[in-house]
Amino acid sequence: MLSNYLGHSLVAVFLVRVADASFFQDQNSKFPDSTVGRTPALGWNSWNTFKCAGATATNALAVADGFVELGLKDVGYTYVNIDDCWSAKSRTAGQLVPDPDKWPNGIKAVVDKIHEKGLKFGLYGDSGTKTCAGYPGSKGFEFEDAQTLASWGVDYWKYDNCYTPCTSSQASCGGGRPIGNSREWYEPMRNAFLNISRPILFSVCQWGRDNVWTWGANYGNSWRMSSDISPTWDSVAKIARMAGSISQYAGPGGFNDLDMLEIGNGELTVAEQRAHFGIWAIAKSPLILGCDLSKISPKSLAIIKNKGIISINQDPLGKAAGYFIPTGKRPPRSGELYPYWSGLLSDGVVIGLVAANGAETLSVNFTDVPGLGAGAYDWIEYYSGKTGTSTSVSFSLDSHDMAVVKVNTARVITDQTCQHNNDAGRWKSELKPSDRLRELCSSGGGCYRAEKGYMCVTGDLNQCDRAVNSAREWESQHGDWWLWSIVSCGGLRVTITE
């Protein structure tokens, strides 16, 4: 239930004893392992620039070096992902094997070197009989391949959709139609990952078919929600306008994947690159670079290293931004990239303003933004660095440019009344300050005694997670069932501790 946030951008977590064990089940559980994919992946993929030629040990190690030398590791980029064409053209004794010319010392030797740099390594596979480039797919070998990946220390698995059941024989089912629903051929690999000891981030790449955003969270940590991207504004805008209307399906552990970034690939203007990166970031897409890092321009590098915008993407609340309609503005039209975006953060709200149809001045009153209300708020725009305290913002933007504004809603309280509602009944609890636990609070918050344990105002979602883990531990030791639920409490996240 941690993904079901109510009220303002921050929440309260209560532990409540209940009689029915079924209450304990999380109705919005994410696949497959809470230790990976809680926030969108940040990394690089070999395909956009290098295609098959990039699937080599030499390239993987060079990119890992580039992460360190360019400061990308320092701002959070972690995954070095090798796409199609890394394996031999056939299996050996039923096992995937790396092409010995491309990986002379095997995969694990490269993975170990990348891990030594504090980075992670990803590979590519396919749910059909062959990959898109004609290499062995995993259909019928899912468990064997999952074990192989784990033995090599692989951290990330991009799983494509070529040569799956179709009325035509083309790799992408072009000229035909799929036979069955694509979730049917992603389930075996999901189940295989659930039965290995190593957590591997599972990136579902089935091109947005079968409304994957409605079921992807039960199958992978991210799911492609569109066809392949290309380095043009029309392609970026097409994917972005789709993402604006499906933001509600993303949450910690499972995110809409808008495809790899085309920043640095030469065809987008600097303004378009800003909008591309900004929309992907606030929509909580994985931020997977696809350029030649050895040739990236300083302006493109500055965009992908923008710490403020990366912090929006990595916000632990995991809420994706989507469209909102300001007062007096018409609603989005079909097929249009709408200018106005917003999304909740753990300590505020992000607003995206996109000059989708040419240079223009875009303004918004905070009272029109979901999660905000009347009054002045502190804010910062992350591309320009402008800051202010006001009841609205306005930016004059070049064609296809973007402003990304974080509005801070965090505040400290000294006493609070919370209303708790659940199926066991309704009650109200007055919360009193507790000096004994005050030191546990981060960001200057205060602690309050509740009916059970204590609540601590904090900006740290990890403390919420620890509270839930404490509940599970209590249940395992004492045989009691505990329910945690999310409650609106003055716009503040509150965690409970004993």
Side-chain angles (χ1 to χ4, degrees):
M1 292 185 183
L2 283 175
S3 61
N4 281 351
Y5 291 91
L6 304 178
H8 295 282
S9 60
L10 302 179
V11 299
V13 177
F14 288 79
L15 302 184
V16 182
R17 189 176 183 179
V18 296
D20 185 355
S22 65
F23 278 106
F24 190 76
Q25 297 174 6
D26 188 342
Q27 299 302 312
N28 291 283
S29 61
K30 301 294 184 183
F31 167 86
D33 188 308
S34 62
T35 63
V36 296
R38 293 291 297 173
T39 58
L42 275 69
W44 178 91
N45 179 282
S46 61
W47 188 258
N48 278 7
T49 295
F50 298 105
K51 303 297 189 285
C52 280
T56 67
T58 299
N59 201 31
L61 293 171
V63 169
D65 288 340
F67 271 25
V68 176
E69 293 165 5
L70 294 172
L72 293 168
K73 176 188 172 185
D74 293 338
V75 296
Y77 291 91
T78 302
Y79 292 97
V80 176
N81 296 335
I82 295 298
D83 211 277
D84 206 348
C85 313
W86 60 269
S87 74
K89 277 287 190 176
S90 60
R91 292 175 177 268
T92 298
Q95 301 295 313
L96 287 173
V97 293
D99 183 323
D101 293 330
K102 298 174 182 177
W103 306 84
N105 297 312
I107 297 288
K108 190 175 188 307
V110 174
V111 174
D112 289 345
K113 289 182 179 180
I114 288 175
H115 285 170
E116 288 172 3
K117 296 179 183 292
L119 301 171
K120 297 181 180 181
F121 180 80
L123 276 178
Y124 165 100
D126 192 277
S127 59
T129 56
K130 293 187 289 186
T131 71
C132 297
Y135 291 77
S138 291
K139 181 176 174 59
F141 296 90
E142 290 85 359
F143 186 64
E144 291 88 345
D145 291 352
Q147 289 180 310
T148 296
L149 296 173
S151 71
W152 289 341
V154 171
D155 305 292
Y156 183 113
W157 182 240
K158 175 184 172 182
Y159 204 46
D160 219 334
N161 193 34
C162 283
Y163 293 104
T164 50
C166 178
T167 58
S168 80
S169 60
Q170 292 188 34
S172 62
C173 203
R177 67 179 186 276
I179 301 172
N181 189 293
S182 57
R183 75 175 76 187
E184 298 170 15
W185 40 90
Y186 281 87
E187 183 174 0
M189 184 58 81
R190 175 199 66 178
N191 294 343
F193 280 146
L194 290 171
N195 286 281
I196 59 174
S197 59
R198 181 176 183 80
I200 297 175
L201 191 150
F202 190 25
S203 172
V204 171
C205 180
Q206 56 75 277
W207 321 323
R209 291 180 174 173
D210 302 314
N211 295 325
V212 62
W213 45 88
T214 64
W215 52 267
N218 292 322
Y219 287 75
N221 298 110
S222 64
W223 47 91
R224 278 277 303 282
M225 40 64 69
S226 71
S227 57
D228 289 354
I229 194 172
S230 61
T232 68
W233 176 250
D234 286 346
S235 177
V236 169
K238 178 182 178 180
I239 295 171
R241 63 180 177 249
M242 293 175 61
S245 61
I246 59 172
S247 59
Q248 67 271 29
Y249 297 104
F255 299 96
N256 294 313
D257 181 355
L258 280 59
D259 204 1
M260 294 171 282
L261 292 161
E262 292 284 10
I263 294 164
N265 285 339
E267 297 188 35
L268 297 172
T269 68
V270 173
E272 289 168 348
Q273 291 180 67
R274 280 194 291 264
H276 179 17
F277 190 69
I279 293 171
W280 265 233
I282 70 174
K284 299 298 191 291
S285 173
L287 300 179
I288 305 297
L289 307 172
C291 63
D292 184 343
L293 293 177
S294 69
K295 298 178 180 178
I296 191 169
S297 72
K299 289 183 178 180
S300 295
L301 184 62
I303 291 170
I304 64 174
K305 288 178 64 177
N306 188 301
K307 292 181 180 180
I309 293 177
I310 292 172
S311 73
I312 298 294
N313 180 258
Q314 296 294 294
D315 183 78
L317 189 61
K319 288 286 191 179
Y323 293 156
F324 77 99
I325 304 172
T327 300
K329 302 295 183 181
R330 60 168 178 77
R333 298 189 181 112
S334 177
E336 174 192 40
L337 175 55
Y338 198 59
Y340 302 100
W341 295 63
S342 72
L344 296 178
L345 303 172
S346 61
D347 57 353
V349 172
V350 62
I351 300 171
L353 301 174
V354 185
N357 301 308
E360 60 182 320
T361 297
L362 295 171
S363 306
V364 63
N365 293 316
F366 291 153
T367 53
D368 290 334
V369 179
L372 299 179
Y377 293 86
D378 295 335
W379 57 266
I380 180 171
E381 198 287 310
Y382 280 127
Y383 279 131
S384 64
K386 293 180 180 177
T387 61
T389 302
S390 60
T391 59
S392 64
V393 289
S394 180
F395 293 91
S396 295
L397 299 171
D398 292 335
S399 180
H400 301 167
D401 208 344
M402 182 179 188
V404 178
V405 182
K406 179 182 178 181
V407 182
N408 185 12
T409 61
R411 53 195 175 90
V412 177
I413 58 174
T414 57
D415 198 2
Q416 182 69 50
T417 299
C418 289
Q419 176 72 43
H420 176 75
N421 299 294
N422 63 36
D423 292 338
R426 298 173 180 269
W427 50 267
K428 182 180 292 186
S429 175
E430 293 290 331
L431 308 175
K432 303 300 181 184
S434 169
D435 293 334
R436 186 170 72 86
L437 293 178
R438 189 174 297 276
E439 68 272 14
L440 294 178
C441 298
S442 64
S443 304
C447 289
Y448 311 95
R449 185 173 182 84
E451 188 166 305
K452 290 185 179 294
Y454 294 86
M455 298 201 311
C456 178
V457 178
T458 176
D460 182 6
L461 186 61
N462 290 328
Q463 290 196 18
C464 290
D465 292 337
R466 286 194 289 273
V468 172
N469 290 334
S470 294
R472 290 173 172 158
E473 183 177 356
W474 178 275
E475 183 275 325
S476 66
Q477 292 177 354
H478 300 280
D480 293 332
W481 286 97
W482 292 77
L483 169 71
W484 65 90
S485 60
I486 306 303
V487 183
S488 173
C489 183
L492 292 162
R493 181 189 293 122
V494 184
T495 64
I496 194 166
T497 185
E498 297 189 30

